[in-house]
Amino acid sequence: MTMKGPFERHSAFPAPTGLYNAAYERDACGLAMVATLRGTPGHDIVDGALRALRNLEHRGAVGSDAGTGDGAGIITQIPDRFFREEVSFELPEKGRYAVGIAFLSADSAERIAEKRSVEGIAREEDLEVLGWRVVPTREEEIGDLARETMPGFEQLFVRSHSRGEDGLGLGGIALDRLTFRLRKRAERELGIYFPSLSARTIVYKGMVTTLQLEPFYPDLSDERFESTLALVHSRYSTNTFPSWPLAQPFRRLAHNGEINTIRANRNWMHARQSQLSSPVLGDLRPLFPIVTEGASDSASLDEVVELLELAGRSLPHAIMMLVPEAWENQLDMDPAVKDFYEYHSRMMEPWDGPAALVFTDGSLVGATLDRNGLRPGRFVITSDGLIILGSEIGVLDVDPATVVRKGRLRPGSMLLADTVEGRIIEAEELKSSLANMEPWGEWVREAEIHLEKLPEREHIIATPQSINRRQRTFGYTEEEVRILLTPMGQTGTEPLGAMGSDTPIAAISERPRLLFDYFAQQFAQVTNPPLDSIREQVVTSMTTGLGPEGNLLEAGRDHARQVVLEFPVIDNDELAKIGHLRHPNASAASHTLSGLYAVNRGHEGLRERLDELCREADAAVDKGVRFLILSDRHSTVDLAPIPSLLLLSAVHHHLIRGHKRMRVGLVVEAGDVREVHHAALLIGFGASALNPYLAMETVEQLARNGEIVGVEPEKAVRNVITALGKGVLKIMSKMGISTVASYAGAQAFEAVGLSQELIDEYFTGTTSILGGVGLEIIEEENRQRHELAYPAEINAKPHERLPVGGEYQWRREGPPHLFNPETVFLLQHATRQKRFDIFRKYTKTVDDQTEELMTLRGLFRLRTEDRTPISIDEVEPVESILKRFNSGAMSMGAISPEMHETLAIAMNRIGGLSNTGEGGESPERLLNPETRSRIKQVASGRFGVTSLYLTHATDIQIKMAQGAKPGEGGQLPANKVYPWIARLRHGTPGVGLISPPPHHDIYSIEDLKQLIFDLKRANPAANIHVKLVSQSGIGAVAAGVAKAKADVILVSGHDGGTGASPLNSLKHAGTPWEIGLAEAQQTLMLNNMRGRVSLHVDGQMKTGRDVIIAALLGAEGYGFATAPMVVSGCILMRVCHLDTCPVGVATQNPELRKRFTGQPEFVQTFFEYIAEEVREYLAQLGFRSLDEAIGQAHLLDVDKAVTHWKSEGLELEPILSTEALRPGVAIRQAEGQDHELAEHFDNQLRELVKPALETGQPVSVDLPIRNTERAVGTMLGNDVTLGYGEDGLASGTIDITLRGTAGQSLGAFMPGGITLRLFGDANDYVGKGLSGGQIVIKPAEGSVYAPERNVIAGNVIGYGATSGTMFISGVVGERFLVRNSGATAVVEGAGDHALEYMTGGLAVILGETGRNVAAGMSGGTAYIYRLRSERVNREALSSGEIELSPLDSSGREIVRVLLIRHLEETDSPLAARLIELGDAALDDFVMVTPRDYKAVLNTRDEALAQGLDPDGEEVWSRILEVTGG
Amino acid sequence: MANPRGFLEVTQRELPSRRPVEVRIGDWREVYGPRDPEVLKRQAGRCMDCGVPFCHHGCPLGNLIPEWNDLVRKGDGRAAIERLHETNNFPEFTGKLCPAPCESACVLGINQPSVTIKQVEASIIEQAWANGWVTPLPPSRVTDKTVAVVGSGPAGLAAAQQLTRVGHTVAVFERDDRIGGLLRYGIPDFKMEKHHLDQRLAQMQAEGTRFRAGVNIGVDITWPELIERYDAVVVATGAPKPRDLTIPGRDLLGIHYAMDYLVPSNRVQAGDSVEGQITAEGKHVVILGGGDTGADCIGTAHRQHAASVTTLAIGYQPPSERPESQPWPMDPTVFEVQSAHEEGGERVYLASTVEFVGNAAGEVTGLKVAETEYRDGGRFPKPGTEHVIPADLVLLSLGYTGPDYTDLQSQIGVGLDGRGNLKRSDDYTTSVPGVFVAGDAGRGASLIVWAIAEGRAVASEVDRFLQGDTDLPAPVRASDQPISI
């Protein structure tokens, strides 16, 4: 029996079954820190921390076994008095012994052996075992699942044999260096996990809920258990499988969020091990790997932090090295600090969050956020030296009169306290001491190599013939040149496409495909957020260092000796410079590996050549070469190029395995790279830079011969570099990764259709779910391409420059498309003429894939032989099947009002559900049962998401991702924002609208839980859907979403349609729904969560067969989008993004809308026919209803008749696995979620304000509140909207005063007529979606601090607000008023990214702002007191999109009035002062307005003055003129 | 990238003007005047560069229409001809003679007049010839294989050019005295002047294709002999058998099949003298059948100074708009005014000829015609509606019934399929190894564009047969049909 690793014991993760893999499990959490500066430890600190933990309960989660939590824990100082009195043996002086809990076997006999083994290691590591103490526990307190995996708990006490200079045993960190070795070896050699083993701190943790931690470990209640500091953590995991070791805190830190870059960080740490050495830690080899297998991202981070700290860096130093702030683009940073960061960036890539970290070494205690600051951290400091920090404010009550400071963690900043010295160490002090520790800047400037300083090389121009030959060699098509490269060379941006993808994925394509095509990009959804690399460029960096890295545990000049590349894509001349780099002794510092192989020797030849190249790489590294260039240039008829990705990854992983990787930098010179996806893959698999020479030569030639118009060849090349680089940045952003340094080597891809053998050998660590082809087929495909370049007779196709292509636009010679002229015609004709016979022809053409495989489901066969067919008359009727159909989420904006309404009417008539899409719904349609869309979508832009909209939803769908472009936002270009669209979306006609990549209230799973909570309260009757996109790991996400209490989970395929998407996303992100659906179904069943949710699926659904396969794989609801559009006239023009749809389907152009020919009847017919086909399949399978078929995956098998050269290696069995099927486990939705609506705070409000609700008479209420009460006012708002409609009640009818700390989402979606007046503090998301209500927040009565200098409310205030007012006396967090479209708000200071994406409304900020003000702001006005212009989004300001100006008379009036109201509502001392200053104060205000918004308003005003219709055509063309739309 | 708004800026078709009727019927030259390049650019700019280009599907050749439309829009004629030649060996033929199913399938045609694709095509190749961009492309190496192509119409020529270019030695046999088949003698010069054909044949000759006119396979050389002499044989002999109308009076003098009238006329245009040429001069001409051949007869008759020209069609006058029964993107039957129709004469619909009326000399003098009645799914003369139309020359252009197959069947056993065409498999092979059938001979009378497509496709199959593998494209299978319900 092999030994279980430390993270496998005391855990109950199932072995990988079907598609489930524990590696995908994620978690997120709440955390808190309590410390005192008074210098003396006390139990009060521990007790306070435990209380804070209990108040974070809602941030954790419980699984299917209600008693078992996801984990919680605490770290404190060693409670010396307690232990000294508790143990029978004698302890050395305080600090001279180490103690920690060991998770031992529950079996006492085994335990004895284990203890003996531990003691053996201790002796070897110079430690003396003082004794063991059995830790008292109360197992009756915890859940069944937790108990089943519970370890035996004993504390080990040790001291050092060696004596220090003082003659005493080692203490503190010196002792910890020994216990570190013991602990690591115990993990490696025995699999025994110690939550901690230290002379400084101790951890108690386990699979308990926040409420169970203290009762389970009675030690914690002991008054003698004392500390000056304590960190607590509550975990929310995506699964329900208990794991004791994965509970937090870890040894140095606790973490809320996720490390997005974890794969790269782990890979690089693994590669770095060979370079590690430390005189204080001894021989490290027995301790390897530093980063333990099976650990969580947080655990890995902790392991590296611990290593750095023990090796000699201070804890804050280590943290700043691993989680640096976004220093790269900061203008106002101290240069010495910048040097510090730059120097360390040469040794370590960022461990990118989202992350809130609390950490301690036993005396220092601190907290920090990563560069993006996407996790909340609020703190309070009192006059008696108490520091309380938590994910929320209000976790611990303090007397307002004692508060001296209320703050929040800011992106990249640190709160640090020294409990020994009893003082706060301010960030500036810390940074400056670190910055001056060593001459970082000098080292950097002396050692760095910059390409522009090297001698210029003569530029080489390739001939057209040579370019064409090589284009053929690398499989270029005319289409790629026309659709990808020409636009990139022309404009420097990646082109857009529309309508999804309906061609076969590489794994089943008949045609030879590039190796790149077998990889799908991963993207962030739910557990971490994608980023907006455009609007938040300030946090991104494309700079990398190329070249060897030194020993991580030391620091010196040589560590900085790298080539600094500001962009990972380099041109031919830059590559030539690298190729000619020399050592100081003039020998070559670079070596080029020629990636060619003898093509006539086939895959054997390829394999041997790769081996040879790896040996050559070894030899070069051994000789001291610092840069390896992997090149596929110079192929000939006999020598074919090795696919660059294979070449790179083979060498990269070989060097890692041989411990040589960190001694060289890898550059790829690749002819096959021509799109963004390719570039991303090369960087993701370890290249520091790439030179896509053929793509560049191609555009150079296109520019020379005029196919790229008006662009010089040199510029065209720069454009390609920009397009590829920016594209890579965008792909990184989809994963939430901000810097290319931590994207490099991250392998943020999954393989679809590659054999495990190939993966293990060349792409180690990459997920490949379905097996597939090996080197043999890869070589075969490569050879076929190569032969195209050297045809037997050139005149066989004498006029063909390149093969035609056909991936993006249908071509006869190209790959098959599900929708082609034949199927479009048949479908349209069948549904319009009501011809079921022709419809059958259509479905047969789509389903019949024996000749050309198009989809995975085409490979499946229904095992009808296992079932007895029944008469179709016994099958449920068409009507009941129709109810399960949904039409796709398409916004009015993307599609025409005619198309949108046609779908809605048709779906309403058949009893199915249509979807508003992102973009609101007009009150006329919303309230009309015939035309309304029953599913209301809530997407990141929150367009038109009002209380009315939510109240009148049947279902509410949270769009986490979209199949065509998961992880990306969207943009409705200005020329599509017609007046009627602007009205729906609360925007401005002719001004573009941005949907951000993330929901700014969902950066992790517990945030999603919060949004579900909010929406459920905005409409308690609605089902809440969460829309996900298929990718590996979706099962874990789905389980997490089910725990977050979604009612419906929708799995979208990667191939779904869209109005506009970058082409790489359309083709290369996500996986087919067959895989995602099966994984979700299996994982939900493994977690026994399936019964609580309904599973839906969509993505290129076209036939009854598609539905039946989806049902058998576990889906209960089925979405169709493209097909009903085709029925309505869509002919797959794929120009939705251009607003030129010639059939009026996807356009707003009034002229084109007239051409719309769709009818609801056609769409009804379509769905009726689909339902009829479903009935026929059910009859064949002997099922009377779809319900009986759901989840019966065993009735599918792989159709042996459908095989071809590639699909033969595919292993589809995991999709069909029914291992998760166990007695008593639901296979389909069986019960609802318990939304605990009855416990909501608003229930008491409803009672108290009854008169107002019933008669509209004014009512006042006064109640206490605390942080656990969330979305207060939302459910009440729902009542008001139900009763009084869009405008709510008369202003001030319901006046509610609250005292204390409000939980998240205070007043979310609250309509007019309600005022919430909070005395105290508020958490995140105040006034989210505010719909007319008023929110006032001011400090608690008795507070003595100055409100304008302290934080009173959290992040993302007023997100998506559409109307209403807020007066907040104090400073608020990041992203104030993000996507506000109509509310008015006054605050006294705001964090980073204030006013982001704002499209309307009014903001007054009376104090300081953070960075990146007004990014993506396209409407509304802000008045900011003493605005520092360098804080405004740089790109918007320099391009003139955002204008800053002094206040005009009306602006002065507005501010004057609002200041007076602010004073009246909040008693703000600041407002009082400003009013007193009068005009002088008003002079210091700056008005912030978007240029186009202002211009449009002016144009419309002028038009009104001229008596013109501002929404008319005349004015519309004037608007487009002023905005250039 | 095409101009996405082009179709909104230019909403109408613009066709090149035909020369004035009075001028053009005085000569035999082509009716179309020169094309205005600016108009063509504008028209090409209406192309929407569809995600699913139905034109490209509607064209049996799979012409890359959106791609060369855009190149014409941008004025890159050089690249345009390359893209056009990539799928079409003879764009000058299709550009003049093809009825353009691509235009019927054009997506713009759903709600706006379609792009004038055919004119764009014609202009690309015209410009290419004019600039010397069309050059011979002889193979870079020759194989030791020989191929006989029987029939020198568009299918045979396309097959021959493709096979020559990959290095096979190809001889094209034609029983007529000149190469070209229907292109040569079936098409009047006013539709396509023969120098277009000649310059293409010159290119082919320069590439190495051998032409053997005046050899009637089956008679001069038997089929078994031919098979002995060549490694492969392509039968592309067309479907020349005309449909007859066997009603009383059919044997009167002055009643001819259209081809018997057109061929001598075209020979005369080619400079030959034809003894006993049937001419329309001074005659009352009645043409039975309203198709393309009928129109050719009309144009020819006018140029021969006929006294009157009347076309009788048995069915309804087709609608001028696409009928609902033939929805987009089908190639519909609609009422067309071809150039010949402009030149005069009368078109009578619902005319069922029940008898030819003659004089004592046995010459035709008229036709007894009744109104057509649709009944029981058939068309019948309506009793009591008969009347006589005078005629001294009656031309039967009632379509074609199939290939000449007697020698083939008797000599090598290649007979007919159920539809009256030469029997072949989907890959153009017959029961005799090495013998292939392409074009109208296998498909039945069809469009020139289908003939070229089949010629290209059969070449690919022949190459595969000879070499075991092929790089030649095969745009259609023998069983492929136009899109329809």
Side-chain angles (χ1 to χ4, degrees), chain A residues 284-305:
Chain A
L284 288 165
R285 281 170 301 179
L287 315 186
F288 289 159
I290 293 301
V291 173
T292 311
E293 283 288 309
S296 64
D297 53 351
S298 315
S300 299
L301 174 63
D302 180 78
E303 286 176 315
V304 178
V305 166

Side-chain angles (χ1 to χ4, degrees), chain A residues 793 795 810-812 1142 1155, chain B residues 51 56 59-60 67 111-112 138:
Chain A
E793 172 50 62
N795 273 345
W810 179 83
R811 289 290 185 269
R812 273 160 55 149
R1155 303 181 181 192
Chain B
H56 170 65
C59 175
E67 293 170 41
N111 46 34
Q112 216 178 302

